[in-house]
Amino acid sequence: MEKIISQSITMPNDPRRKELDQLEKQKALIDRKAQSVVRGELYCGLGFLVLQTLGFMRLTWELGWDVMEPICFFVTSLHFALAYAFFLRTSKEPTFEGYFQRRFKVKQKKLMKIHNFDVEKYHELCEAFYPHYSKLERCGNVALYGDHARGTFFSSAHG
């Protein structure tokens, strides 16, 4: 019992503080890498949509609107079906931010596994040093998206 109490009370020169700082630096590096990979994916998606639009414009000029109208309708329907499938799979709105968050979470978990980042230890230390850090945040993986423990949730992801 004494060990549990001593672990829950943080001292100013607590050696666990250095470990938490090291984990936070490692997590910040992982978050930056995940953010850059996801931004690259989003720019590739933008490139695809621009090329698709330019292709449709060219085909409309060559084939006429009567031919291209049904093609554009079916492509738009396909885009809607993909957005709906994204919602069904993730339970998130099919917005750019929703897609970013989903891809960020996936890339972050993959990078944490590659770098052997101890998520449980990170959460344990955050709970010890940050009074507002709770298990509820952990359940929703909120703490994984940014340095939420220090109150800068998602600041690096949209910077």
Side-chain angles (χ1 to χ4, degrees):
M1 185 67 146
E2 184 178 321
K3 183 180 178 183
I4 294 172
I5 292 173
S6 67
Q7 285 182 347
S8 65
I9 300 173
T10 60
M11 301 295 179
N13 295 328
D14 195 335
R16 296 179 297 164
R17 184 67 177 161
K18 281 186 178 181
E19 185 179 5
L20 178 60
D21 288 341
Q22 189 263 342
L23 285 173
E24 285 179 339
K25 287 178 185 175
Q26 186 181 10
K27 184 179 173 303
L29 183 68
I30 289 170
D31 288 349
R32 281 193 300 274
K33 176 67 176 167
Q35 177 187 356
S36 68
V37 170
V38 172
R39 284 199 184 274
E41 290 177 359
L42 291 175
Y43 279 118
C44 286
L46 175 64
F48 171 76
L49 290 175
V50 167
L51 288 175
Q52 179 182 343
T53 302
L54 291 174
F56 284 175
M57 289 170 63
R58 172 71 185 234
L59 289 173
T60 302
W61 183 268
E62 290 179 10
L63 303 175
W65 180 243
D66 291 337
V67 173
M68 288 305 296
E69 182 180 17
I71 294 171
C72 290
F73 171 78
F74 289 121
V75 169
T76 302
S77 297
L78 176 65
H79 285 224
F80 174 77
L82 290 172
Y84 191 67
F86 174 81
F87 172 74
L88 289 175
R89 185 167 182 201
T90 64
S91 298
K92 289 188 178 289
E93 282 189 51
T95 62
F96 298 119
E97 185 175 357
Y99 180 74
F100 179 88
Q101 288 175 357
R102 175 69 179 172
R103 296 301 302 154
F104 181 83
K105 182 178 171 183
V106 168
K107 295 296 179 184
Q108 185 186 48
K109 282 184 178 182
K110 186 181 281 187
L111 287 170
M112 284 180 171
K113 189 174 183 179
I114 289 170
H115 293 288
N116 296 322
F117 184 80
D118 190 353
V119 177
E120 288 302 316
K121 183 71 172 176
Y122 175 75
H123 288 306
E124 178 185 311
L125 291 172
C126 284
E127 287 173 359
F129 284 97
Y130 303 123
H132 299 293
Y133 193 87
S134 71
K135 291 187 187 285
L136 290 175
E137 292 167 335
R138 288 177 62 178
C139 291
N141 290 324
V142 173
L144 294 177
Y145 286 118
D147 192 4
H148 186 65
R150 291 191 176 179
T152 56
F153 177 73
F154 237 17
S155 64
S156 64
H158 293 293

